[in-house]
Amino acid sequence: MTAPNTPTGPGADPYAPHDPFAPPPAPVGPKRPKRALLPEARIGVLIAAGGALLGVVLGLLWLWLAPRVGLVVKGDQLLYADPEGEQRAGADSVFALLGLGAGLVTALTAFLFTRGRGGGVAVAAGLAVGGLAGSVIGWQLGMKLGPASDLVAHARQVGDGGRFSAPLELGAHGALLVWPMTAMVVLLVLSAAFGKREEDPPPYWAWPRPEAGHPEAAHASDGHAHEGRAAGGPEHPHAD
């Protein structure tokens, strides 16, 4: 019959022999505190809102720096003033370069302001959402503030032989992803190189061995004493 309230599991038997080569049990460190959801969401929203506001600056810079596509009115036709020109590709390139710079700025700023708290998923999500929103806002703002999109009305206004600029357009819509992708890559590099790190626990062999008076040492001596009883030897052997 098994005695009631008999302890089970490893280390439950106080008379079990102690293995001197067994590593000591790993210490249980303090649990990492969980971050509150509301502050995390607030940080992500602030970063996304900052990216959206920066999109206004991107749109104004794109409108100012992008090359114009010239059109010429000849009779009832609209012709390119420079048929072999690369102004349309230049406008896409300028937008992509501005998105690259915006991604660098937003990622560096977010990393510096959140480095002390160790970053987090909210920072990356805020940069991705804010970068995409800023790109779309800059794209739409540049087209709205650029030359008029009603080519027929503009051609009638300048008359035959007149010249005017075509609407500012983004031919390669993939340029909208340059900002968020750049921000994510820069954040990853900064976090890996300069991010806050937690100290690794020392290996098990670096922990001090149990000394005299330690419960494990007492268990070890009890185990050796009981082994001697089981073998029929004296508990306190005397020298001859």
Side-chain angles (χ1 to χ4, degrees), residues 38-218:
L38 186 58
E40 287 286 312
R42 186 183 296 115
I43 290 175
V45 171
L46 289 177
I47 294 176
L53 292 176
L54 189 59
V56 177
V57 180
L58 183 142
L60 295 177
L61 289 176
W62 184 45
L63 177 63
W64 178 37
L65 298 175
R68 298 290 188 268
V69 178
L71 298 176
V72 181
V73 181
K74 285 190 176 181
D76 57 350
Q77 296 181 346
L78 281 176
L79 305 177
Y80 286 108
D82 185 7
E84 298 181 357
E86 298 180 355
Q87 289 83 358
R88 289 192 178 276
D92 296 346
S93 301
V94 169
F95 190 91
L97 290 176
L98 291 174
L100 180 66
L104 290 171
V105 171
T106 52
L108 181 60
T109 304
F111 174 77
L112 292 178
F113 276 96
T114 60
R115 182 172 180 266
R117 59 184 300 277
V121 180
V123 178
L127 285 175
V129 174
L132 185 58
S135 296
V136 174
I137 290 174
W139 169 41
Q140 295 295 323
L141 183 64
M143 291 195 307
K144 295 293 183 183
L145 298 180
S149 58
D150 192 348
L151 298 179
V152 176
H154 208 166
R156 291 175 179 175
Q157 182 180 359
V158 299
D160 189 14
R163 297 191 177 194
F164 62 96
S165 297
L168 184 61
E169 296 178 351
L170 186 64
H173 290 168
L176 296 172
L177 300 177
V178 173
W179 180 348
M181 292 178 64
T182 302
M184 298 298 292
V185 172
V186 173
L187 179 64
L188 179 61
V189 172
L190 291 176
S191 300
F194 309 104
K196 183 179 179 182
R197 293 180 175 84
E198 296 182 357
E199 296 183 1
D200 296 332
Y204 69 88
W205 59 81
W207 291 93
R209 292 287 183 177
E211 300 176 356
H214 195 274
E216 292 186 1

Side-chain angles (χ1 to χ4, degrees), residues 234-238:
E235 296 183 7
H236 303 284
H238 299 281

